[in-house]
């Protein structure tokens, strides 16, 4: 059957729901969201409906269904667990040409309710025509991830400026072009990033400036790609990855993650090649500026979180100086990813009340860290880039008071299918690392919480 998709105005109009259980409550919630005046007919109400009755959100007609309850209603939903009652409701409604829905019984319905992606005032309704509500729900979940939650605010902004845009661009073609640019350009991105005031100001400026030309400015997205498992990307990261025309990435970004970027984007590798130096930070900063200046949307894709040992601060510093629009998208940092996948909580009421993230990267053969602060009981230390300096690191922690038996986890290729966790302690770790092949990237977690790995590890390592 092919239903007619329509959106129905029920604001302040009486809608009848027959049934007082949780299923009925679900339907009532939908009707309330569209501001219908809801009457629930049932001998008794479940807790949810009872609460809404007390809050005066709904009316209650106590008792059994009789046809006179249908009078003056604009639609009716039957949600009882008694098929004969549902049938009767359906029959009586059809006699009166009243739209009727019977939950989970398509044969008795004259309308069905779709799965909805709600970005008020935008609504996307999905229906499988009753064939597979589960599939419709799955589709909905996919759309939910693809459509930024701020789309509703974007639509509202456009509505508020419709008249002004009509005056500024009398030709419909110009107007369409203008809105297309707004929707795909920095104004929309500002809104998605929660900068509503800046978005409003920028839109106003564009409409007020009689000489304003189509926007040619590019922008930069500094995005955290997480520790490796592509499912750990944020919705926003994925959306910007599919939007950017130029991508600057380095070694830490997993191949599966890069594959999720827009296929026709220019990809620029700025990490270290074998036996070669990485592209210098200043050069990366300049590349970002140059491509944005050329009007491109540029993605700076980083492993983990861009603000944790990612030099993200330096990159946006340059962008800020150059007046280039940018946004920063946080990612799951390696410490969180590795800890979660190794079954090691970074804090725990009994074993660690604090957690410190440090870099184990040595400068001139030395680690300049505040050892007294690090060598504390009841604290977890997450060490990034700690493999080369491990001998120095362990020795210093022991010298400053930590026991040689303090447990340490080394997590190699965390969150990826190749993940491997090695458990050791401060005294034995350097020898372990020397004897195993520890391919990067690897993370160290030091502290009593590591003991929980044996009990809590859930991710199956090969
Ligand atoms: N910005 C990144 C960290 C960059 S420093 C973040 O927030 O995660 C690079 C170091 O991160 C590596 O040397 C390693 O110690 C750690 N690291 C990154 N990804 C990792 C992974 N999947 N498994 C283990 N360690 C990882």
């Amino acid at each position: 059957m092919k239903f007619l998709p329509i959106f129905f105005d029920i604001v302040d109009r009486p809608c009848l729901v027959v049934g007082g259980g949780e299923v009925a409550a679900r339907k009532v919630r939908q009707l309330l969201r569209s501001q219908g005046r809801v009457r629930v007919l049932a001998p008794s109400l479940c807790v949810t409906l009872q609460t809404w009755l007390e809050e005066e959100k709904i009316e209650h007609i106590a008792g059994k269904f009789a046809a006179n309850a249908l009078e003056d209603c604009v639609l009716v939903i039957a949600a009882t667990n008694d098929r004969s009652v549902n049938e009767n409701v359906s029959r009586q409604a059809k006699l009166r040409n009243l739209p009727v829905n019977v939950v989970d019984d398509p044969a008795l319905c004259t309308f069905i309710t779709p799965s909805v992606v709600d970005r008020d005032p935008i609504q996307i309704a999905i229906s499988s025509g009753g064939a597979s509500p589960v599939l419709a729900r799955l589709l909905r979940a996919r759309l939910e991830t693809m459509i930024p939650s701020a789309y509703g605010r974007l639509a509202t902004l456009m509505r508020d400026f419709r008249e002004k845009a009509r005056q500024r661009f009398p030709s419909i073609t110009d107007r369409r072009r203008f809105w297309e640019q707004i929707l795909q350009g920095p104004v929309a991105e500002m809104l998605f990033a929660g900068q509503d005031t800046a978005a409003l100001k920028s839109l106003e400026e564009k409409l007020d400036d009689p000489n304003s030309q189509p926007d040619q400015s590019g922008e930069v997205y500094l995005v955290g790609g997480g520790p490796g498992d592509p499912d750990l990307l944020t919705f926003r990261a994925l959306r910007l990855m599919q939007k950017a025309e130029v991508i600057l990435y380095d070694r830490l970004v997993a191949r599966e993650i890069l594959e999720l970027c827009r296929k026709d984007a220019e990809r620029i590798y700025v990490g270290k090649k074998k036996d070669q130096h990485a592209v210098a930070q200043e050069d990366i900063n300049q590349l970002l500026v140059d491509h944005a200046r050329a009007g491109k949307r540029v993605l700076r894709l980083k492993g983990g979180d861009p603000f944790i040992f990612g030099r993200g601060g330096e990159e946006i510093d340059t962008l800020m100086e150059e007046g280039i629009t940018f946004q920063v998208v946080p990612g799951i940092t390696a410490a969180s990813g590795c800890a979660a996948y190794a079954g090691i909580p970074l804090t725990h009421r009994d074993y660690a009340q604090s957690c410190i993230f440090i870099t184990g990267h040595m400068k001139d053969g030395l680690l300049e860290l505040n050892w007294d602060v690090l060598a504390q009981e009841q604290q977890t230390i997450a060490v990034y880039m700690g493999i080369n300096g491990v001998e120095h690191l362990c020795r210093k922690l022991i010298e400053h008071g930590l026991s040689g038996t303090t447990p340490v986890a080394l997590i190699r290729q965390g969150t990826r299918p190749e993940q491997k966790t090695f458990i050791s302690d401060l005294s034995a770790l350097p020898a372990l690392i020397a004897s195993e092949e520890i391919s990067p990237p690897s993370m160290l977690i030091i502290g009593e919480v590591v003991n929980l790995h044996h009990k809590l590890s859930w991710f199956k390592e090969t």
Side-chain angles (χ1 to χ4, degrees):
M1 173 163 355
K2 201 156 183 193
F3 288 88
L4 171 72
I6 56 171
F7 289 88
F8 194 9
D9 176 5
I10 58 164
V11 176
D12 263 342
R13 304 172 85 191
C15 305
L16 181 71
V17 175
V18 184
E22 287 301 335
V23 178
R26 238 177 25 232
K27 294 291 177 187
V28 170
R29 181 180 284 120
Q30 291 172 357
L31 296 170
L32 287 177
R33 244 192 248 138
S34 295
Q35 298 173 44
R37 192 143 42 85
V38 183
R39 291 178 191 156
V40 179
L41 191 160
S44 62
L45 299 180
C46 67
V47 179
T48 313
L49 289 171
Q50 189 61 41
T51 313
W52 289 339
L53 179 66
E54 280 155 23
E55 292 169 357
E56 297 183 2
K57 289 185 176 154
I58 59 172
E59 297 162 32
H60 181 204
I61 308 171
K64 292 199 165 140
F65 173 73
N68 62 1
L70 297 172
E71 264 160 40
D72 83 350
C73 286
V74 294
L75 66 81
V76 54
I77 297 178
T80 78
N81 51 11
D82 182 337
R83 187 151 203 269
S84 64
V85 174
N86 289 349
E87 263 168 359
N88 190 21
V89 174
S90 170
R91 193 170 42 247
Q92 297 296 339
K94 284 177 184 167
L95 276 175
R96 289 163 178 75
N97 282 332
L98 202 58
V100 58
N101 174 269
V102 178
V103 177
D104 279 340
D105 206 337
L108 298 181
C109 297
T110 63
F111 78 92
I112 54 176
T113 50
S115 278
V116 176
V117 180
D118 191 354
R119 300 286 185 273
D120 184 34
I122 305 270
Q123 294 198 74
I124 303 168
I126 305 152
S127 158
S128 64
S132 172
V134 177
L135 191 61
R137 266 206 301 280
L138 277 179
L139 256 174
R140 187 195 129 209
R142 286 187 65 174
L143 288 174
E144 289 282 6
T145 64
M146 285 162 55
I147 300 169
S149 60
Y151 250 56
R153 287 184 356 253
L154 184 61
T156 309
L157 185 75
M158 289 175 70
R159 184 181 60 202
D160 294 348
F161 281 85
R162 248 175 100 168
E163 194 43 47
K164 204 163 178 180
R166 211 193 308 269
Q167 285 163 17
R168 172 72 181 79
F169 301 105
S171 132
I172 190 161
T173 320
D174 287 352
R175 207 154 63 229
R176 189 177 304 140
R177 199 167 300 147
F178 172 76
W179 281 126
E180 273 169 8
Q181 281 197 347
I182 293 295
L183 285 174
Q184 288 165 35
V187 171
E189 278 309 331
M190 283 179 212
L191 207 80
F192 296 159
Q195 297 174 299
D196 292 29
T197 317
L200 188 94
K201 195 162 153 260
S202 175
L203 181 56
E204 255 170 352
E205 279 169 9
K206 285 188 203 312
L207 283 170
D208 284 343
D209 177 3
N211 303 316
S212 78
Q213 292 300 318
D215 200 343
Q216 296 298 339
S217 54
E219 51 186 340
V220 175
Y221 316 130
L222 178 58
V223 171
D229 181 344
D231 276 7
L232 296 178
L233 284 170
T234 59
F235 294 158
R236 187 173 294 172
L238 185 61
R239 187 171 55 75
L240 296 175
M241 284 159 65
Q242 291 176 352
K243 188 170 175 187
E245 297 136 334
V246 179
I247 302 164
L248 273 73
Y249 67 101
D250 42 45
R251 191 172 46 90
L252 262 188
V253 176
R255 193 173 40 79
E256 299 87 323
I257 289 183
L258 264 182
E259 276 170 10
L260 295 173
C261 293
R262 201 169 131 169
K263 293 280 176 278
D264 59 349
E266 180 186 351
R267 287 158 197 233
I268 305 173
Y269 178 70
V270 293
K272 270 187 207 158
K273 293 207 182 88
K274 246 195 183 139
D275 306 327
Q276 281 183 340
H277 282 298
V279 177
Q281 188 63 50
E282 304 80 68
D283 296 339
I284 297 178
N285 300 352
Q286 196 54 48
L287 276 170
L288 293 174
V289 171
D290 292 346
H291 284 285
R293 281 266 154 76
K296 299 282 197 248
R297 299 183 194 122
V298 190
L299 175 76
R300 174 66 175 116
L301 187 56
K302 299 253 181 193
D305 182 280
F307 278 7
I308 295 182
F309 305 123
R311 304 189 74 168
E314 296 163 51
E315 293 178 5
I316 61 169
D317 197 16
T318 313
L319 298 174
M320 194 66 112
E321 276 170 13
E322 301 280 338
I324 286 170
T325 310
F326 66 87
Q327 60 174 293
V328 185
V329 181
I332 292 183
T333 190
S336 298
C338 292
Y341 279 54
I344 301 172
L346 290 175
T347 65
H348 188 286
R349 277 208 303 187
D350 299 332
Y351 308 112
Q353 285 74 45
S354 61
C355 173
I356 296 191
F357 291 3
I358 63 167
T359 164
H361 184 69
M362 298 210 280
K363 268 195 199 136
D364 306 324
L366 281 177
L367 274 178
E368 308 231 1
L369 295 164
N370 187 336
W371 300 107
D372 290 328
V373 171
L374 294 179
Q376 297 288 331
E377 301 288 320
Q378 302 275 309
Q379 172 168 275
T380 308
I381 312 173
V383 191
Y384 292 74
M385 299 171 272
I387 301 304
N388 290 340
V390 70
E391 197 271 330
H392 188 78
L393 176 80
C394 292
R395 182 162 41 81
K396 283 284 186 187
L397 287 175
I398 294 171
E399 271 174 27
H400 284 78
L402 280 190
S403 155
T405 59
T406 308
V408 185
L410 184 156
I411 301 133
R412 185 185 73 190
Q413 308 252 20
T415 80
R416 303 184 187 179
E418 307 82 29
Q419 172 175 314
K420 180 124 182 76
T421 305
F422 302 86
I423 302 292
S424 182
D425 63 26
L426 281 180
S427 323
L429 184 68
L432 173 87
I433 290 182
S435 68
E436 292 280 347
E437 196 203 326
I438 305 294
S439 53
S442 292
M443 179 91 214
L444 300 175
I445 299 178
I446 304 171
E448 295 300 319
V449 286
V450 168
N451 288 332
L452 293 163
H453 163 78
H454 301 292
K455 196 168 160 204
L456 303 181
S457 85
W458 55 271
F459 180 73
K460 298 281 169 276
E461 297 183 359
T462 45

